Amino acid sequence: MKIYLVGGAVRDRLLGLPPGDRDYVVVGETQDTMEAAGFRAIGRDFPVFLHPGTHEEHALARTERKSGRGHRGFVVDADPSVTLEEDLQRRDFTINAIAEDADGNLVDPHGGVADIAARVLRHVGPAFAEDPLRVLRAARFMARFAPLGFRVADETMALMRAMVAAGELDTLTPERVWQELSRALASAQPSAFLRTLHDCGALAVVLPEVDALYGVPQHAEYHPEIDTGVHQELVSDMAARLAPGDALIGFAALTHDLGKALTPKDELPRHIGHEHAGLKPLAALCDRLRVPAAHRELAMIACREHLNVHRIDELRDATVYDLIARCDGFRKPERIGQLATVCEADKRGRLGSADAAYPQGRTLRRAHAAALAVHARDLAADGVTGPALGEALRKARIAAIAAARRVAPGDGGDAGQESRRL
């Protein structure tokens, strides 16, 4: 049986990255011969099997022929006559079209090894244009590999632009867009995902609310990068730095400033009320992509409250309590830490501020911890019951917040003045 290790496992080994899943291509076999050898069939769209011992995936070598629009419009041929080279020809990028035999010899018909050395993401051939999902995959690979110095080949970028212009991306399902977006947000450099899609015109198709931020100016004193789209790239990268691999934090950071795209031109570069203006486009984005509830809820909170957190040292103790309660921070306490992280990413996601302190986040976490330490059962033990218990709990938690802020006051300085001009 001719078996070859293929795809990401070969690529990542050549890049010196930790090994992930190992996928194999089997040449010259059929479903009957695979099952006779003890492999278990699991493929629905094409023949894939689990090895009887290792349980690693083994797929029959196959070709694909375009039969309709979209990323599902293909006819698969897994005849035993299909060669390894023909299987590699259908793959997306040269760096993913390398195979390795059992003796460690590489089969590299498309120059993937050279492209790995040159740090170039290049499409294998013209069949790339038949699958619009590959545009998002290119951007997602850039989110992972840009820190290693990768760039998109000029001819690949040109082909992606042509695919966007032809309307191919309109066929993508919300589920696949969300899948690629969430994986990009969990990568090391999400800005590369955004920039790649923006440069080929795809961001305006799949994330128009985010694309609209590019070219919108901000107050240079607080945003030296000026362009709101550039600011968003910096925020997304900072979120990835503060919460590596966390797409929940990443999505809230990505969408916190959507309202700035709606600021009337005669009010620029100020963005008064953008935190509330951003809720409507955020809801539209979440509805369209069928964003999971947890991501949607945290994003809504961060959009609405990030300026309040920035100016927390100006807020009254009762107002801080109300902020925590609005975020459902007593029933879902993890939300407050998540909100603080998103707000820190916003503050540090600016030119020259990557290493800036964010004491407002510590203040919010400290106030929240103090309030959480007050329990209704303790008040009930003192004889407080009925409707009075709820009000007594609120007052006790506000008092705890006040005490915590007195013991270790925040040092947010001019955060309030800055927040008004964001």
Side-chain angles (χ1 to χ4, degrees):
M1 192 176 284
K2 297 179 181 178
I3 300 176
Y4 300 86
L5 183 67
V6 294
V10 180
R11 176 199 67 217
D12 291 349
R13 182 181 66 76
L14 294 174
L15 283 168
L17 299 175
D21 294 336
R22 294 165 60 88
D23 296 318
Y24 297 84
V25 160
V26 183
V27 178
E29 303 296 331
T30 67
Q31 180 158 341
D32 289 343
T33 61
M34 293 293 288
E35 292 179 344
F39 287 80
R40 180 166 64 88
I42 61 170
R44 183 178 62 180
D45 298 326
F46 50 86
V48 181
F49 306 84
L50 294 183
H51 188 281
T54 66
H55 303 292
E56 292 176 320
E57 289 192 1
H58 289 60
L60 296 185
R62 67 186 190 272
T63 60
E64 296 174 346
R65 176 172 54 83
K66 188 71 170 173
S67 62
R69 295 195 73 194
H71 65 280
R72 292 187 177 277
F74 291 90
V75 174
V76 174
D77 179 12
D79 188 86
S81 64
V82 175
T83 66
L84 175 63
E85 287 75 13
E86 287 174 325
D87 182 275
L88 295 176
Q89 176 67 41
R90 68 173 176 79
R91 295 176 182 268
D92 49 9
F93 303 104
T94 61
I95 65 173
N96 296 331
I98 309 169
E100 182 180 315
D101 67 16
D103 297 323
N105 300 309
L106 297 180
V107 180
D108 179 26
H110 303 290
V113 174
D115 281 343
I116 286 175
R119 298 300 195 255
V120 174
L121 188 67
R122 190 191 317 276
H123 66 286
V124 167
F128 180 93
E130 296 177 350
D131 186 355
L133 186 62
R134 289 177 169 178
V135 174
L136 297 190
R137 282 174 57 82
R140 195 244 300 166
F141 277 127
M142 286 301 297
R144 182 182 178 191
F145 294 134
L148 300 179
F150 270 80
R151 64 177 180 84
V152 179
D154 292 343
E155 62 269 30
T156 300
M157 180 61 74
L159 183 56
M160 289 162 57
R161 290 192 181 109
M163 293 168 67
V164 173
E168 281 290 329
L169 270 66
D170 296 337
T171 66
L172 292 174
T173 64
E175 292 81 6
R176 295 311 298 267
V177 174
W178 171 251
Q179 183 181 53
E180 295 298 325
L181 172 60
S182 60
R183 293 177 71 178
L185 293 173
S187 298
Q189 193 172 324
S191 66
F193 176 84
L194 300 175
R195 175 59 61 176
T196 300
L197 292 183
H198 178 66
D199 287 350
C200 73
L203 194 64
V205 178
V206 296
L207 290 171
E209 299 86 356
V210 177
D211 188 72
L213 295 173
Y214 286 89
V216 176
Q218 301 170 105
H219 201 290
E221 181 180 357
Y222 302 108
H223 286 279
E225 68 281 357
I226 300 178
D227 190 302
T228 307
V230 175
H231 169 58
Q232 183 53 64
E233 292 180 4
L234 294 170
V235 172
S236 289
D237 284 352
M238 182 55 65
R241 173 178 163 184
L242 296 174
D246 193 332
L248 182 64
I249 296 291
F251 181 68
L254 173 69
T255 57
H256 79 287
D257 260 354
L258 296 184
K260 289 184 176 178
L262 303 177
T263 300
K265 290 184 178 181
D266 60 354
E267 294 182 10
L268 296 173
R270 297 183 302 165
H271 294 276
I272 299 172
H274 75 272
E275 69 277 23
H276 297 293
L279 296 174
K280 185 175 180 179
L282 175 54
L285 187 160
C286 290
D287 288 344
R288 188 178 66 256
L289 297 187
R290 302 172 190 170
V291 173
H295 293 70
R296 178 184 185 125
E297 290 165 5
L298 180 63
M300 288 288 186
I301 288 169
C303 181
R304 185 185 68 231
E305 304 291 352
H306 66 277
L307 294 192
N308 288 327
V309 178
H310 289 334
R311 64 187 184 96
I312 193 169
D313 288 339
E314 292 184 356
L315 303 182
R316 295 178 300 153
D317 299 320
T319 305
V320 174
Y321 169 88
D322 291 339
L323 187 161
I324 295 170
R326 279 197 307 275
C327 298
D328 207 7
F330 297 112
R331 288 195 317 118
K332 299 179 179 179
E334 70 280 358
R335 280 190 176 171
I336 300 306
Q338 292 166 343
L339 173 62
T341 300
V342 174
C343 293
E344 182 174 354
D346 178 31
K347 175 62 183 293
R348 295 172 62 183
R350 312 175 192 194
L351 288 180
S353 298
D355 297 317
Y358 191 66
Q360 297 96 321
R362 294 195 299 272
T363 299
L364 177 60
R365 288 185 172 95
R366 188 169 58 248
H368 180 230
L372 276 180
V374 180
H375 301 285
R377 63 176 178 270
D378 299 326
L379 300 176
D382 293 335
V384 182
T385 60
L389 180 60
E391 182 58 26
L393 180 61
R394 181 179 186 275
K395 290 182 178 179
R397 283 176 164 170
I398 292 172
I401 289 171
R405 296 174 80 185
R406 284 198 302 271
V407 170
D411 53 349
D414 64 350
Q417 180 184 3
E418 176 181 343
S419 71
R420 285 191 294 272
R421 307 185 75 168
L422 290 175

